Structure formats: C-alpha cells, structure tokens
C-alpha cells in the first residue's frame, strides 16, 4: 500500500481552494435547501424551483424528487444560452479514428444541428415522453441526437456500439422505443463496426420501431428499408435550424441508460431532467473547473454514463469545449492520446485506469515522444486505480505537475459523488478521497451497523442527491429491492470501501455479482445465461479474476452435457455465443470445463470457492465441508490449468 500524499501542486490555479471548499461544505451542512437552490442557479429555468430534494428511502413511502416545481429544457441550457457569448467557440472537437481528420463544431453549429434532428424527430411524430434509441459512433451528430431528444422532451437511451443486435433488441423492447438513430458504420482502431446492419438485425428481433435515422459516417452502401429508414444526409438540408424547445418539468424523464446488475437482464436506469442537469453542471464545474481557455477531453463513449455526464452534458452546460474521440488509445500507435493532446491543446484529460495500465505496459517512450505541456489536470473513473498506475499517470504523463482527480460514481448516481477538488484536496494515490459537499456517505457492516471513523464496510448513501436515478424503467419494485432493501433507509452502492483515519475513501470494488472488466460493468448472470444457450452446456458459473490491465477479467466454469468433450473449438463456439447475446466486451478471458460445480446440499453454487480456484488461491478455499460433494473441488483445482 502506498502511503504517499501529494499536496496540491504549487502552481495549480483553481477557483476552489481549501477555504472555498470548507465554505461549500459548511453551506451544504448548515443550509441544505439554500445550498441546493444555489446549485440550481447554474441553470436557466423557465420556472425556477422553490423546492429542492424531497425523498424517502423507506418502502412504505418510497420516493425521490428534486426541484419538483421547476421547469427547464436541458438543450437550451447546453446550447441556446451560450450563443450570445460563445456562439463561435468550439463546443465539440471531433477527433475520429484517423488522427487529425476531424473538426470542431461551434456552439452555433451544434445548436443548429440539434434543431435539425429535433425537427426530423417531430416530423416523424416523436415527441414528449417517447423513447428513442441512439446506437452511434462517437461523432458530434450523436451528441446532437441526444440534445435533440432533450429539446423535444423525448427520452433517449444510448446503447454502446459494442453491444450485439440482440442486446439492442432487448433494450428496444424493454423501454418500448419508437425510433432508432444510428450511423451507416463506425470505425475504431481501423476496424469497421456494422452499426446499421446491427440495427437491422435488432429490429428483426424486436417490435415497435417505426423510424430509423441513419447518419452517414463512412458512406458505405447500407440497405435502407422503405418507409422506415431515413438517410439523415438526404433530408438534412430540408430541416429548419430552429426548433422550439419543450418546457420540461424537473421530474420528467431525460434518459434511460441500461447497466448490468447481479441478477437477470440489464436494468434501464431512469434519470430526470432537473436534478441530473443541476448535478452534471455542478460536478463538472467543481471537479474540472474548465475556463474558456480549456480543452476538456473525457475518453469515455457516450454509451456509458461517463460519456453522458462528462463528454456531453456537463461540459456543454458549462459552455466548455469537449473532445469527442472515436478512436482507441493504441491506434495508430501507443502515443495516440498524447499526440492528440498536443495537437488539440488538451488541458484537462479524463480516462479510465485500464487505459493507463495498458499504456504503462508499453513503457515511457510513447508518452515522452509528445510534449503534453498543455495538460494541467488529469482524472480517472470507472474502477479502482492501483497506486502504481496512479504514480505512473502522475509522474510520467503529468510530469508531476498535474493533480489527479480519482472520481468515484456510478450509472445510478448520474454524476461524481466522491472526488478530490484539484485545487483543495491533498491526494493519496488509489483513493477517491472525500465525498463532495452535500453527499452523505456511510459505511455499514454486514450486521447493518453504521461504522464510524477508520473502518471497512459496504458503501451506502444516507441522503439523496439531485442526479440519483429515480427508478428502473417499468420496474419500481426491482429498483427498490436492488438498492434500498439491503440497508433500510439507505441507498446501497454494491461497492466495498475502506475509510482511513483522514476520512479518505478507498473503494475496494464490487461486493455483488458484477464484474468490472476494463471499467465495463458485466453481470455474471448475463454471461452465464449466454453460455447455457449453447446446446452442449449443462451449467455455467462465472467469476472475476484479477487482471493486470483490465482490472478484472471473466473466468467461466462450464459443465458440459454428458458425452460432450470440451476443446478449443467448443471454447470458440462459447465465445461466439457470448458475443451474440451480449457483445465482445463480455467474452470470458478463461473458460474452464468442469466435470461439476461445487454446490451446497440445497443446490446453491458456491461462488466464493470458484473465485478462489480461479484466482489460484488454493490454500484459502475456506470451509468446503458444507458442499454436497467436496471431491468436486479437487477436480476443479486439477483442471485449472486446462
Ligand atoms: O465499482 C465501482 C466502479 O464502477 C462502478 C460503476 O460502474 P458504472 O455504473 O458503469 O459507472 C462507471 C463510471 C462512473 C462502481 O460501482 N467505479 C467507478 N468509479 C470508480 C470505481 N471504483 C473505484 N474508483 C473509482 N473512481
């Protein structure tokens, strides 16, 4: 464990220093309503709210509402209100797979493009409350599509382009979407992603989609279905560049984003207009504090919550310049990120630990080949960062000049909840440091006791915050059961956490059946049900194993039907099964054929033991005497290398 403490670098300039932060914390504690209304003042409301947070996490009276009597439009806040002062400044800088082949979109251009999309959606009969899927590459039109939905009050659901047609179909059916916005193809790392073909395949498996809008990215000749598919480039010039924004109630749904949990199919988390917007604006300003001269680059895809909050909404709400990157860190070579930082003059750079570890393995040369002098602040998100990777990021990438903000949050939290303030917080490598003002973290033990002082336990939140997810689309009960039943009166994050003597938080990872592979959340149950779809598979159990670069990887134990032999051919078929049902991102690192799985006498699979076997921790398997057949363990240990 690293015990280094890095104070705020002497020359780092920030609006919020230690005194301002202490004042903010006092404000939040002493006058919560005043504090939350103050944050709401960051936005333009057509009706300013008089109310702030009203919630109960108890089952009888469960509700979460923020700024309920307020009215606003998110796209107006991201776009129109900046036009007078920033119309010609870049809102988005598009950086495609091919270095330097992109261009910047000004606030005016983005506003006009958003209005065109809004008018097209309206022309297709889409309006307030309708659900629209977005399945697109990281191109500015994708941001315009999201903003267009926000403008007309439609609810967007962005699906990462790496998900399979079947995953997309499941999400379409789950939320009852009426339209899909996609592109002909994507290109990443030199490889083509057949987005439109995937949409066609998804629509053959789902129902309800009346309109498919296809943006031209590569210009490939993709099949178009008459009466359903519209080529955006063919109609673009006929669309007006102004569109009346819908006045939305603060608690109207803004978007649905699907994420994996312990059980069953992905959950469509619902975020609402008012609270989400306030928190995206507030946290972006607090943590990144971008000024007009800054160029902010968050490498996340818009298919994840990080892309929603810190590629699109947070930066645009603050009138900042945000880079949209449609490439990968190792294409054309391992210097790509730093070459791009130099070329675009990136000042704030935000990425995932997995990318840092992958680059670290390539050594310092690809980093040192580029100047990186423009960078003044670094950030990480998505998974715990090991102190070694933190130090490398700090010293090699940042030349010891730039603070690192390790930001902890979740799809469910909508925005950052635990993070340093770069101008005010001493850093400890590997710690996300302290909860933000107004955020009340609590650690609890398995006996439901709240822990005080330095302690390790399960991380919960004792109070709501504006961007808290409101429900799971169509399943209020599942929402309550998943997050509020384990520790009554609190939101349970499903993360473990250690709090040290300074109150610093050290996230230790998920305590549920979610595997964090390269910062992507994958549910064990989803992978298991994909594997058992194969005709030769009798049973499957999936556990995480530590991985040097990905953080965690998937280890699958697979029991075959009698008479079937496991071999490499079958492993390839099983991988294909996972790719088909979920997407390539969920393909197991290891598949181990197992004669049987360790089960209790009541038939429950003992995952704790499987995890130890997968990790090779054979000396600490624990008590195996409760197993129905303890001999199974020896067979699995013997088969581990196989
Ligand atoms: O386990 C935590 C981990 O990522 C989970 C949330 O994943 P997702 O909803 O996909 O959102 C990722 C981007 C916000 C959390 O439950 N996680 C996220 N950030 C950190 C983290 N673990 C440790 N440190 C972080 N900074």
């Amino acid at each position: 464990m690293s015990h280094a403490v890095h104070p705020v670098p002497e020359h780092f300039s920030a609006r919020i220093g230690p005194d301002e932060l202490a004042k903010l914390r006092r404000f939040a504690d002493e006058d919560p309503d005043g504090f939350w209304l103050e944050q709401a003042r960051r936005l333009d409301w057509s009706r300013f709210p008089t109310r702030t947070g009203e919630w109960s996490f108890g089952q009888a009276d469960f509700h979460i509402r923020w700024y309920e009597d307020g009215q606003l439009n998110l796209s107006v806040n991201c776009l129109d209100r900046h036009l007078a002062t920033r119309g010609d400044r870049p809102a988005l800088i598009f950086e495609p797979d091919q270095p330097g082949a992109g261009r910047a979109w000004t606030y005016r251009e983005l506003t006009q493009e958003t209005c065109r999309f809004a008018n097209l959606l309206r022309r297709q009969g889409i309006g307030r409350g309708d659900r629209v899927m977005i399945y697109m590459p990281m191109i500015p039109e994708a941001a315009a599509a999201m903003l267009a939905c926000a403008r007309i009050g439609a609810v967007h659901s962005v699906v990462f382009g790496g998900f399979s047609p079947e995953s997309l179909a499941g999400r379409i059916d789950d939320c009852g979407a009426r339209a899909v916005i996609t592109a002909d193809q994507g290109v990443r790392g030199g490889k083509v992603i057949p987005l439109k073909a995937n949409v066609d395949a998804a629509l053959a498996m789902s129902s309800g989609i009346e309109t498919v809008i296809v943006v031209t990215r590569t210009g490939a000749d993709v099949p178009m279905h008459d009466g359903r598919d519209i080529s955006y480039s063919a109609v673009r010039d006929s669309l007006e560049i102004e569109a009346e924004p819908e006045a939305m109630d603060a608690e109207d749904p803004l978007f649905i984003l699907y994420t994996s949990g312990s059980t069953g199919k992905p959950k469509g988390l619902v975020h609402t207009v008012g609270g989400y917007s306030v928190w995206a604006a507030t946290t972006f300003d607090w943590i990144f504090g971008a000024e007009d001269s800054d160029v902010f680059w968050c490498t996340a895809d818009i298919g994840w919550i990080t892309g929603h909050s810190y590629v699109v909404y947070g930066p645009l709400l603050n009138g900042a310049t945000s880079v949209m990157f449609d490439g990968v860190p190792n294409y054309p070579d391992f210097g790509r990120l730093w070459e791009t930082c130099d070329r675009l003059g990136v000042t704030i750079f935000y990425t995932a630990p997995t990318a840092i570890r992958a680059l670290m393995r390539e050594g310092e040369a690809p980093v040192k080949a580029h100047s990186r002098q423009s960078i003044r602040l670094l950030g990480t998100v998505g998974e715990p960062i090991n102190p070694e990777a933190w130090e490398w990021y700090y010293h090699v990438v940042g030349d010891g000049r730039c603070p690192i903000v390790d930001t902890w949050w979740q799809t469910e939290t909508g925005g950052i909840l635990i993070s340093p303030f770069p101008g005010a917080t001493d850093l400890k490598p590997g710690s996300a440091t302290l909860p933000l003002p107004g955020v009340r973290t609590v650690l609890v033990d398995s006996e439901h006791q709240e822990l005080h002082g330095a302690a390790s336990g399960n991380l919960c939140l004792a109070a709501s915050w504006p961007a808290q997810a409101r429900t799971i689309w169509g399943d209020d009960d599942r929402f309550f059961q998943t997050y509020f039943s384990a520790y009554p009166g609190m939101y349970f994050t499903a993360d473990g956490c250690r709090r040290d003597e300074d109150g610093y938080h050290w996230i230790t990872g998920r305590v549920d059946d979610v595997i964090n592979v390269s910062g992507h959340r994958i549910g064990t149950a989803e992978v298991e049900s994909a594997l058992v779809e194969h005709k030769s598979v009798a049973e499957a159990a999936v556990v995480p194993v530590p991985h040097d670069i990905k953080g965690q990887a998937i280890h699958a134990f697979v029991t075959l039907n009698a008479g079937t032999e496991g071999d490499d051919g079958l492993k390839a078929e099983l991988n294909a099964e996972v790719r088909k049902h979920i997407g390539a991102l969920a393909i197991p690192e290891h598949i181990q054929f197992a004669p049987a799985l360790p089960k209790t006498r009541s038939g429950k699979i003992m995952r704790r033991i499987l995890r130890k076997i997968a990790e090779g921790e054979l000396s600490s398997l624990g008590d195996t005497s409760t197993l129905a057949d303890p001999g199974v363990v020896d067979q699995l240990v013997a088969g581990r290398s196989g």
Side-chain angles (χ1 to χ4, degrees):
M1 181 74 51
S2 159
H3 293 287
V5 176
H6 295 268
V8 177
E10 220 168 278
H11 301 291
F12 186 78
S13 98
R15 263 173 287 132
I16 301 176
D19 294 346
E20 289 77 14
L21 177 55
K23 228 168 97 187
L24 268 177
R25 292 196 192 284
R26 261 200 316 277
F27 188 9
D29 291 344
E30 289 167 8
D31 176 16
D33 281 333
F35 172 80
W36 291 118
L37 284 178
E38 185 68 19
Q39 305 318 320
R41 285 199 183 89
R42 296 169 181 275
L43 307 183
D44 285 356
W45 301 73
S46 45
R47 192 168 71 213
F48 192 77
T50 63
R51 294 154 68 174
T52 61
E54 292 158 289
W55 74 89
S56 160
F57 292 167
Q59 185 154 25
D61 180 33
F62 184 83
H63 64 278
I64 305 168
R65 294 192 281 268
W66 280 85
Y67 306 116
E68 203 191 1
D69 59 346
Q71 268 192 350
L72 76 169
N73 184 286
L74 174 54
S75 83
V76 169
N77 277 280
C78 287
L79 300 170
D80 307 53
R81 69 170 174 150
H82 301 312
L83 291 182
T85 51
R86 303 189 153 82
D88 297 319
R89 283 183 44 79
L92 297 173
I93 301 179
F94 173 44
E95 175 66 14
D97 200 41
Q98 216 49 47
R103 69 173 188 95
W105 284 35
T106 64
Y107 271 93
R108 194 175 325 282
E109 286 173 293
L110 184 60
T111 307
Q112 294 180 350
E113 210 63 27
T114 297
C115 288
R116 287 195 176 102
F117 270 105
N119 287 324
L120 178 55
L121 288 168
R122 277 185 175 146
R123 203 164 88 184
Q124 294 304 113
I126 308 287
R128 205 173 168 126
D130 289 329
R131 274 81 63 203
V132 175
M133 311 306 290
I134 297 180
Y135 186 67
M136 288 182 85
M138 284 290 287
I139 57 179
E141 287 87 347
M146 293 165 75
L147 289 158
C149 290
R151 195 166 191 89
I152 66 171
V155 180
H156 63 65
S157 184
V158 185
V159 176
F160 175 56
F163 279 115
S164 67
E166 191 174 315
S167 292
L168 176 60
R171 286 153 169 80
I172 289 170
D173 283 337
D174 185 76
C175 73
R178 296 183 56 197
V180 181
I181 307 178
T182 189
D184 46 6
Q185 296 179 325
V187 191
R188 227 174 243 193
K191 292 196 208 85
V192 167
I193 305 148
L195 294 171
K196 172 61 165 61
N198 286 353
V199 169
D200 289 341
L203 298 195
M205 293 180 247
S206 60
S207 55
I209 297 293
E210 299 150 9
T211 300
V212 179
I213 300 172
V214 186
V215 173
T216 302
R217 169 75 180 88
T218 63
D221 187 18
V222 293
M224 298 290 278
H225 293 240
D226 272 354
R228 186 194 77 184
D229 300 353
I230 299 172
S231 160
Y232 180 67
S233 59
V235 297
R236 180 176 177 274
D237 290 344
S238 70
L239 298 164
E240 294 286 336
I241 56 171
E242 283 174 16
E244 195 57 37
E246 197 80 19
M248 303 302 290
D249 289 328
E251 280 299 324
D252 280 333
L254 171 65
F255 65 82
I256 303 169
L257 188 57
Y258 285 85
T259 190
S260 295
S262 304
T263 54
K265 57 186 176 94
K267 304 177 287 233
L269 290 159
V270 178
H271 284 282
T272 56
V273 182
Y276 173 82
S277 302
V278 169
W279 197 238
T282 303
T283 52
F284 181 82
D285 178 48
W286 280 349
I287 310 301
F288 301 112
E291 305 288 345
D292 276 353
S293 53
D294 279 307
V295 175
F296 175 81
W297 183 10
C298 165
T299 63
D301 192 282
I302 51 158
W304 314 113
I305 190 71
T306 309
H308 283 60
S309 303
Y310 302 109
V311 174
V312 180
Y313 292 127
L316 298 180
L317 283 166
N318 283 278
T321 297
S322 176
V323 175
M324 267 187 104
F325 179 47
D326 203 17
V328 291
N330 61 353
Y331 179 86
D333 58 51
F334 282 96
R336 174 64 190 270
L337 298 180
W338 323 121
E339 181 272 324
T340 304
C341 283
D342 283 358
R343 183 161 36 76
L344 302 181
V346 170
T347 58
I348 306 171
F349 180 77
Y350 187 37
T351 196
T354 187
I356 298 163
R357 288 190 296 262
L359 295 175
M360 195 170 132
R361 193 178 60 170
E362 302 302 316
E364 297 186 9
V367 187
K368 298 293 180 197
H370 305 280
S371 121
R372 293 157 286 108
Q373 278 306 306
S374 58
I375 304 176
R376 63 180 190 88
L377 174 60
L378 297 168
T380 72
V381 57
E383 41 168 338
I385 180 162
N386 46 313
E388 195 194 358
W390 195 102
E391 295 284 1
W392 188 85
Y393 197 32
Y394 187 79
H395 290 289
V396 179
V397 175
D399 292 325
R401 246 183 321 110
C402 312
I404 297 177
V405 286
D406 174 354
T407 61
W408 176 88
W409 58 296
Q410 310 178 298
T411 307
E412 292 85 346
T413 73
I416 298 167
L417 293 192
I418 305 178
S419 168
F421 278 68
T425 314
D426 290 348
L427 306 175
K428 299 187 191 183
S431 170
T433 76
L434 301 163
L436 300 186
V439 172
R440 283 196 43 215
T441 58
V442 173
L443 298 186
V444 279
D445 66 14
S446 46
E447 269 80 54
H448 294 212
Q449 290 302 312
E450 185 171 336
L451 304 167
H452 298 278
S456 288
N458 288 334
L459 180 64
C460 292
L461 290 148
S464 184
W465 62 98
Q468 181 168 24
R470 299 298 193 260
T471 189
I472 292 171
W473 183 265
D475 204 341
D476 294 342
D477 186 54
R478 188 177 176 203
F479 184 66
F480 178 83
Q481 296 303 335
T482 306
Y483 301 106
F484 303 92
S485 64
Y487 300 102
M490 287 185 242
Y491 166 79
F492 175 41
T493 65
D495 274 327
C497 178
R498 180 172 72 82
R499 189 170 50 210
D500 72 14
E501 57 290 353
D502 297 322
Y504 276 42
H505 291 55
W506 301 75
I507 306 294
T508 50
R510 303 285 301 197
V511 297
D512 61 356
D513 289 323
V514 166
I515 307 184
N516 193 328
V517 182
S518 301
H520 300 154
R521 262 167 83 162
I522 295 169
T524 52
E526 285 170 72
V527 181
E528 288 163 3
S529 45
L531 291 168
V532 299
E533 288 287 321
H534 193 284
K535 59 180 185 323
S536 303
V537 174
E539 203 170 25
V542 156
V543 295
V545 280
H547 187 282
D548 283 350
I549 290 173
K550 300 177 181 176
Q552 291 187 321
I554 297 173
H555 187 110
F557 293 90
V558 174
T559 308
L560 300 174
N561 290 324
T564 315
E565 277 301 307
D567 57 16
D568 285 349
L570 184 53
K571 282 185 186 175
E573 287 178 31
L574 295 179
N575 286 343
E577 204 74 55
V578 173
R579 183 191 298 269
K580 172 169 158 242
H581 295 294
I582 308 173
L585 74 178
I587 289 177
E589 191 82 11
H590 313 280
I591 293 177
Q592 177 177 345
F593 295 115
L597 298 176
K599 290 185 186 165
T600 59
R601 284 185 200 102
S602 59
K604 193 168 171 287
I605 296 176
M606 297 278 279
R607 286 165 190 285
R608 176 178 57 78
I609 293 176
L610 288 175
R611 241 176 123 141
K612 295 277 182 200
I613 294 171
E615 288 171 7
E617 300 228 355
L618 307 177
S619 58
S620 57
L621 289 180
D623 183 10
T624 55
S625 63
T626 54
L627 290 176
D629 174 8
V632 167
V633 171
D634 297 329
Q635 291 174 331
L636 289 177
V637 170
R640 214 183 125 253
S641 51

